[in-house]
Amino acid sequence: MSTRHILLGLLASGPSHGYDLKRRHDDRFPQARPLAYGQVYTTLQRLVRDGLAEVEGTDSDGGPERTMYRATEDGTRELARWAGEIAPPAPFVANEIFAKVVVAILSGGDPAGYLSAQRAAHMERMRELTALKAAQGADLATVLSADYAVNHLDADLRWMTTTAARLTTLTAEVDAA
């Protein structure tokens, strides 16, 4: 996910302070990793440097001085370009779970045991996400983010089942190489 574009998208609704942008990011993308304040302010500085955002002013509102940022016309155009760009499917599939299965085979470990433990961890996370979706008052952004994560976990689980069924053949191929 492009933090710079997400911040530009949040600025599209009007000028905002870095603190508010971080809070709105975390609210709008509930299943994403929360942004660190340092990441927000560093990204805002780069947006200003690149002419995609500018400082609107500062205020203190009874507290510490806060800088207000707004998207520029170039920033609005860049956001529209990025938002309309089709995200290409990954050209290479790097799968840490698969790598650990192969390493377990290579090192004389227990690839079946690893797959079983990983499956249990995935199932637990799916239960957590399902409860989050079913929670009273869950907003649509939370439900959709959880749905996305559940579907990816489900794909991983199906892959683990297939891999476990083929583990004898994979072990023979890895050992022969």
Side-chain angles (χ1 to χ4, degrees), residues 56-118:
E56 169 103 342
T58 58
D59 68 31
S60 63
D61 198 23
E65 189 173 272
R66 296 188 300 173
T67 303
M68 190 85 120
Y69 297 89
R70 73 174 194 82
T72 62
E73 288 183 25
D74 285 347
T76 301
R77 280 192 293 276
E78 170 60 18
L79 179 62
R81 183 203 61 74
W82 175 79
E85 202 174 69
I86 301 301
F92 304 101
V93 179
N95 183 325
E96 184 176 356
I97 299 169
F98 177 67
K100 288 182 177 185
V101 168
V102 171
V103 167
I105 294 168
L106 290 170
S107 64
D110 180 11
Y114 169 74
L115 283 171
S116 178
Q118 187 64 58

Side-chain angles (χ1 to χ4, degrees), residues 94-158:
N95 183 325
E96 184 176 356
I97 299 169
F98 177 67
K100 288 182 177 185
V101 168
V102 171
V103 167
I105 294 168
L106 290 170
S107 64
D110 180 11
Y114 169 74
L115 283 171
S116 178
Q118 187 64 58
R119 180 177 182 74
H122 269 56
M123 293 297 293
E124 177 59 28
R125 181 64 179 143
M126 286 179 84
R127 283 189 287 278
E128 292 169 3
L129 290 166
T130 301
L132 185 68
K133 288 175 24 173
Q136 186 172 354
D139 60 49
L140 186 57
T142 298
V143 171
L144 290 174
S145 293
D147 281 342
Y148 184 84
V150 166
N151 281 301
H152 279 266
L153 290 167
D154 182 58
D156 283 352
L157 287 168
R158 285 183 277 124

